[in-house]
């Protein structure tokens, strides 16, 4: 299969990346981050989460963030909604898309939310119905699609099953998430080859973590399966909660560098993104873990130095 | 083309990885590193460099390192030799393979050694002849094969030209090196597709740097071109001299994790390699930059902690 000529990059840093930060990131920083990202050309930004602030205190200011950002025409601002209450918050905040989620691993589902995969997705029925009625896009996120911290191997059939359940709920887009970054390219291709049989290829996306350094190889593998949407997190924001100190989300700068090298259109300005990566890393006092970001920043800063 | 069922991983950490360390790494540490690597199953270790200690003081103890290591049957211990004097040192040290080098970039060659590519390779004629006479293997390293810090783009034809020159010198193996890590998968495939027309595929290797995070994607691309030999550096030892603070050689642990995931045989024990990465990082006081290494170490250390 020919690789796509253009892809959509979904920037998840403001939500997935920041959500585990212990130190509260000021609302104005979150707003500036999102505004700069949309100005750099992102067509989809995961901007906030309408979950209980008891669970995720970092995301407690979701309504203020959504109220404060400048909406760029053509950019979809997504928010995570675990339940109907979260959905109501999302509607009030004028979210363009809500994100619902379920694990492909039974062990993960039981350990995390104390119910089966099937039950966990059943609970989203009212949310999905309400979203459909109000014309709000729905994205379903299939976590642990390439492996689970509890059960290890996750059968491809389990991923397909969750995708079918999300499709039945009316999801507009479904992401195959390697939540703990354990996947490798052959398995990635196998999973995408299977799920494209039950859901349209052009509405499936790849969400990869770089915990084991495999994210870009997996993205290259998914491109070869014709996948056209990828998630990434600016400066590699977001760790891996299952291995302290380990790398989390794949860095947006690295993904854009890959796409540019492959001649695949993204509509996003890499140079601007590198600056945004520097801005947010500096703002929250965390090291920038994007390799392309670090290299391009180092290059810009030492442009005058000679090196033989 | 089908991917290979088995690959050879050349561990370059003791030479390429350590050579730029400012603080001198004690000889006994270098020896322990090499011994542990060969015990973990590596069939080829780049162990030392017989260059002038004025140029590379870190490698001044090459003869002592080679004298001190335990030779594992079946493992090739390679050393870098810039000239006949270096070659004599390599012979005295009982090296199994010498490494000679040339750039695919005319600008790089001129800037670095003040002569043309053709002249630089011509200078290796007496070294290559002497190696052939003594039955010592020769590896030719083609630097800047995917890009140059001075001229930028490097024509594929230039890489092919250097490979042909090395082939004419009698090289047993030739590595295509992305010295500054700028390559991406399509270009990688294009270059390998071209060089396999002039040199046997099974004796070509890929030497990738992870400066822009692309190394594993490039390795996966090269595997799809049937390449069977890859270089890697334990714990990602070795920076990028052209961008201070940027990442250098691809980490061995990440490469092994990829190969294991793809079901490609390496004969190397990843768990042992992760421990060796921890040993050398700790010994020289540098952060371990292998993502798989860090994740597997973190996992081992937090095995008892619960995470929900």
């Amino acid at each position: 299969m020919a690789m796509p000529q253009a892809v959509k990059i979904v920037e998840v840093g403001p939500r997935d990346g920041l959500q585990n930060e212990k130190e509260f990131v000021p609302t104005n920083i979150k707003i500036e981050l999102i505004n700069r990202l949309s100005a750099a050309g992102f067509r989809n930004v995961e901007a906030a989460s309408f979950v209980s602030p008891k669970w995720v205190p970092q995301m407690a200011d979701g309504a203020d963030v959504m109220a404060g950002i400048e909406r760029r025409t053509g950019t979809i601002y997504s928010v995570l909604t675990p339940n109907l209450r979260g959905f109501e918050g999302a509607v009030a905040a004028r979210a363009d898309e809500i994100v619902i989620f379920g694990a492909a691993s039974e062990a993960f589902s039981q350990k995390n939310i104390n119910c089966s995969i099937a039950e966990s997705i059943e609970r989203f029925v009212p949310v999905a119905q309400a979203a459909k009625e109000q014309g709000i896009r729905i994205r379903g996120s299939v976590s642990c699609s390439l492996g689970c911290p509890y059960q290890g191997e996750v059968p491809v059939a389990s991923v397909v099953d969750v995708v079918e359940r999300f499709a039945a709920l009316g999801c507009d887009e479904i992401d195959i998430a390697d939540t703990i970054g354990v996947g490798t390219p052959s398995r990635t291709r196998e999973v995408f080859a299977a799920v494209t049989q039950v859901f349209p290829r052009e509405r499936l996306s790849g969400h990869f973590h770089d915990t084991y350094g495999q994210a870009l190889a997996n993205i290259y593998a998914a491109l070869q399966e014709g996948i056209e949407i990828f998630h990434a997190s600016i400066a590699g924001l977001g760790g891996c909660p299952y291995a302290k100190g380990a790398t989390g989300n794949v860095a947006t700068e690295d993904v854009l560098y890959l796409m540019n090298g492959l001649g695949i259109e993204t509509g996003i300005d890499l140079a601007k993104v590198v600056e945004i990566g520097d801005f947010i890393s500096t703002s929250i006092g965390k090291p920038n873990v994007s390799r392309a970001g670090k290299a391009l920043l180092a290059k810009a800063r030492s442009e005058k130095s000679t090196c033989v």
Side-chain angles (χ1 to χ4, degrees), chain A:
Chain A
M1 167 161 320
M3 293 200 295
Q5 296 188 310
V7 293
K8 178 174 92 165
I9 306 294
V10 180
E11 171 57 50
V12 302
R15 201 285 300 173
D16 196 14
L18 290 182
Q19 71 171 358
N20 290 318
E21 281 300 312
K22 290 237 166 74
E23 199 80 28
F24 188 76
V25 178
T27 307
N28 67 314
I29 297 288
K30 290 173 180 152
I31 291 170
E32 181 173 351
L33 174 62
I34 295 167
N35 285 346
R36 289 180 69 163
L37 288 165
S38 53
F42 287 92
R43 289 188 287 137
N44 196 335
V45 179
E46 199 173 282
S49 184
F50 286 82
V51 297
S52 164
K54 271 198 293 184
W55 293 358
V56 189
Q58 182 61 260
M59 294 284 114
D61 59 352
D64 295 334
V65 168
M66 290 295 283
I69 57 172
E70 291 161 31
R71 309 283 174 124
R72 181 171 163 272
T73 309
T75 294
I76 293 164
Y77 298 89
S78 313
V79 306
L80 202 78
T81 55
N83 50 37
L84 214 43
R85 187 168 171 180
F87 174 75
E88 283 154 13
V91 170
R94 296 194 296 119
D96 303 297
E97 180 178 78
I98 58 155
V99 182
I100 60 178
F101 44 92
S105 153
E106 204 59 68
F108 192 88
S109 193
Q110 291 292 351
K111 275 253 191 187
N112 273 269
I113 47 176
N114 203 27
C115 72
S116 71
I117 297 171
E119 284 163 353
S120 76
I121 294 173
E122 196 64 27
R123 288 181 190 175
F124 282 117
V125 168
V127 173
Q129 279 174 346
K132 282 286 154 201
E133 280 161 19
Q134 308 213 22
I136 296 177
R137 282 173 56 92
I138 312 172
R139 195 220 308 152
S141 180
V142 187
S143 61
C144 298
S145 290
L146 297 174
C148 166
Y150 306 116
Q151 77 181 48
E153 185 91 357
V154 171
V156 175
S158 303
V159 184
V160 171
D161 178 69
V162 179
V163 167
E164 284 177 326
R165 289 173 192 272
F166 276 143
L169 288 188
C171 283
D172 297 284
E173 200 167 301
I174 295 177
D175 63 83
I176 302 303
D178 184 10
T179 313
I180 56 168
V182 294
T184 45
S186 296
R187 181 62 163 205
T188 299
R189 294 186 72 156
E190 195 186 342
V191 169
F192 275 110
V195 295
T196 49
Q197 301 299 311
V198 300
F199 196 75
R201 187 184 311 273
E202 63 276 14
R203 297 199 275 127
L204 280 163
S205 61
H207 176 112
F208 294 103
H209 280 223
D210 210 19
T211 321
Y212 292 82
Q214 312 295 309
L216 285 200
N218 291 340
I219 289 173
Y220 180 56
L223 285 168
Q224 292 180 63
E225 292 296 323
I227 298 306
E228 300 172 8
I229 312 172
F230 294 96
H231 294 192
S233 180
I234 183 88
L237 286 180
C240 173
Y242 304 97
K244 214 182 157 208
T247 317
N249 288 291
V250 66
T252 310
E253 298 91 319
D254 298 7
V255 176
L256 291 174
Y257 187 93
L258 172 70
M259 298 302 172
N260 289 352
L262 294 173
I264 295 173
E265 192 60 51
T266 64
I268 299 161
D269 181 338
L270 174 56
K272 276 190 188 166
V273 174
V274 169
E275 284 169 22
I276 302 169
D278 189 38
F279 152 74
I280 189 63
S281 304
T282 308
S283 297
I284 67 172
K286 288 272 288 233
N288 186 331
V289 299
S290 164
R291 299 187 174 206
K294 282 190 288 182
L296 290 167
L297 284 168
K299 203 176 161 192
R301 282 164 187 167
S302 66
E303 208 75 272
K304 285 172 193 158
S305 76
T306 54
C307 192
V308 288

